Amino acid sequence: MGTQKGQGNLSGEEARDAARRSAPRVAVIFEAIRIEAIEELARHKAALFWSGLAAGLSMGFSYMAEALLHAALPDAPWRPLISKFGYSVGFMIVILGRQQLFTENTLTPVIHVLRERKLAVLWNALRMWGVVLAANLLGTMVFGVGLYFSDVFDPAQNAALMAVAAEALAGGSRVMFLSAILAGWLIALMVWLLPAAETARVGVIIIITYLVGVGGFSHIIAGSAIAFYALAAGATTLPAVFVDFFLPTLFGNILGGVAFVAALNYAQVVPDE
């Protein structure tokens, strides 16, 4: 007898190999993220807080790495194309270290809320948002203020820190809000892509977060480390930071992650249920 063939005139082994190499269905990605959401929502508030604090501290390295690259490069039009790779550093630490980042949570728990549609699940997700956001901001405050008072950098590097801060906080509330929508959209898309990325996870993180950085899109946690540094330096005021950065960026990130990623990708799964 000849070799038994499967679909498309493939042998059984070839068909299994083709299945391994094919991209997972949307429903598989959705369920993988939802399972992760269930695990995270079940964590104690203290565990979420410490993980969120670690993430806030880690995100400060995006600011520091970008500024150090900025200081090391000549003043040329192409400098941001290189220095913005530093923006990816904090995200890689947070995501690969499985720390809790608020903008990741505009997708992960929301997926579970949309699937279950229960008030208790929604309340638990809001609890997670509150704890993680507060912890992230505390971490960025410690990092940003500590960075200013640490006195470990030379004058050129300190000037680069101020230059990066001035660029990140410029634009006003309307520009911040619109750019924050794009940032929230991209970060949530990154989270959506990671379950299928497998060995390409680092590449996905770098590409997406580099795009956020080079586009100057406002991110509530990465930007908070910058804002706290600027506050410590006396380069801005608390009311200005709250009105022109914090509020528009927070709501823009939430809108971008929830509406353009969580809701749209859930809509792809609903007809198959």
Side-chain angles (χ1 to χ4, degrees), residues 59-70 80-92 209-210 213:
M59 285 303 299
F61 287 110
S62 284
Y63 174 36
M64 189 180 76
E66 180 183 343
L68 292 178
L69 287 172
H70 181 100
L81 296 178
I82 306 299
S83 64
K84 291 298 181 180
F85 276 109
Y87 191 79
S88 301
V89 170
F91 287 95
M92 283 200 296
T209 56
Y210 173 74

Side-chain angles (χ1 to χ4, degrees), residues 124-177:
N124 200 17
L126 292 175
R127 173 194 69 93
M128 182 179 185
W129 272 17
V131 172
V132 171
L133 178 60
N136 284 172
L137 292 176
L138 179 60
T140 58
M141 181 180 70
V142 171
F143 191 99
V145 175
L147 189 65
Y148 177 74
F149 288 107
S150 64
D151 196 28
V152 296
F153 299 118
D154 62 37
Q157 292 168 333
N158 286 325
L161 285 164
M162 288 304 304
V164 170
E167 178 188 356
L169 298 176
S173 58
R174 178 178 177 276
V175 172
M176 285 287 183
F177 176 70

Side-chain angles (χ1 to χ4, degrees), residues 11 13 16 31 46 57 77 85 104 120 133-134 159 166 172-173 203 226 249 269:
S11 69
E13 180 60 33
R16 286 190 291 272
E31 192 61 21
L57 290 166
F85 276 109
E104 286 188 87
L133 178 60
S173 58
I226 297 172
T249 301
V269 177

Side-chain angles (χ1 to χ4, degrees), residues 23-268:
R25 295 189 305 117
V26 171
V28 174
I29 297 174
F30 180 93
E31 192 61 21
I33 295 173
R34 195 174 78 87
I35 290 171
E36 182 178 343
I38 293 170
E39 294 174 353
E40 297 296 340
L41 288 168
R43 294 179 70 182
H44 192 276
K45 285 190 293 185
L48 289 174
F49 174 82
W50 289 112
S51 182
L53 180 64
L57 290 166
S58 297
M59 285 303 299
F61 287 110
S62 284
Y63 174 36
M64 189 180 76
E66 180 183 343
L68 292 178
L69 287 172
H70 181 100
L73 294 168
D75 186 5
W78 49 264
R79 179 162 66 178
L81 296 178
I82 306 299
S83 64
K84 291 298 181 180
F85 276 109
Y87 191 79
S88 301
V89 170
F91 287 95
M92 283 200 296
I93 296 171
V94 167
I95 295 167
L96 297 180
R98 299 300 300 271
Q99 297 167 357
Q100 286 289 334
L101 184 65
F102 176 75
T103 45
E104 286 188 87
N105 288 331
T106 59
L107 175 70
T108 310
V110 173
I111 286 290
H112 187 49
V113 170
L114 291 172
R115 179 66 178 80
E116 294 297 315
R117 304 178 195 175
K118 295 178 180 178
L119 187 59
V121 177
L122 173 61
W123 176 252
N124 200 17
L126 292 175
R127 173 194 69 93
M128 182 179 185
W129 272 17
V131 172
V132 171
L133 178 60
N136 284 172
L137 292 176
L138 179 60
T140 58
M141 181 180 70
V142 171
F143 191 99
V145 175
L147 189 65
Y148 177 74
F149 288 107
S150 64
D151 196 28
V152 296
F153 299 118
D154 62 37
Q157 292 168 333
N158 286 325
L161 285 164
M162 288 304 304
V164 170
E167 178 188 356
L169 298 176
S173 58
R174 178 178 177 276
V175 172
M176 285 287 183
F177 176 70
L178 294 176
S179 72
I181 292 174
L182 293 172
W185 190 347
L186 284 166
I187 296 302
L189 275 176
M190 177 188 67
V191 178
W192 179 265
L193 293 172
L194 287 177
E198 298 181 351
T199 58
R201 289 171 64 87
V202 171
V204 169
I205 295 168
I206 291 174
I207 290 169
I208 299 296
T209 56
Y210 173 74
L211 181 57
V212 174
V214 81
F217 305 143
S218 187
H219 185 272
I220 185 62
I221 308 305
S224 289
I226 297 172
F228 284 120
Y229 181 92
L231 282 169
T236 187
T237 64
L238 187 58
V241 167
F242 189 74
V243 173
D244 294 333
F245 164 73
F246 183 81
L247 287 180
T249 301
L250 176 63
F251 290 121
N253 285 170
I254 292 172
L255 178 61
V258 172
F260 292 101
V261 182
L264 285 177
N265 284 303
Y266 173 68
Q268 296 182 63

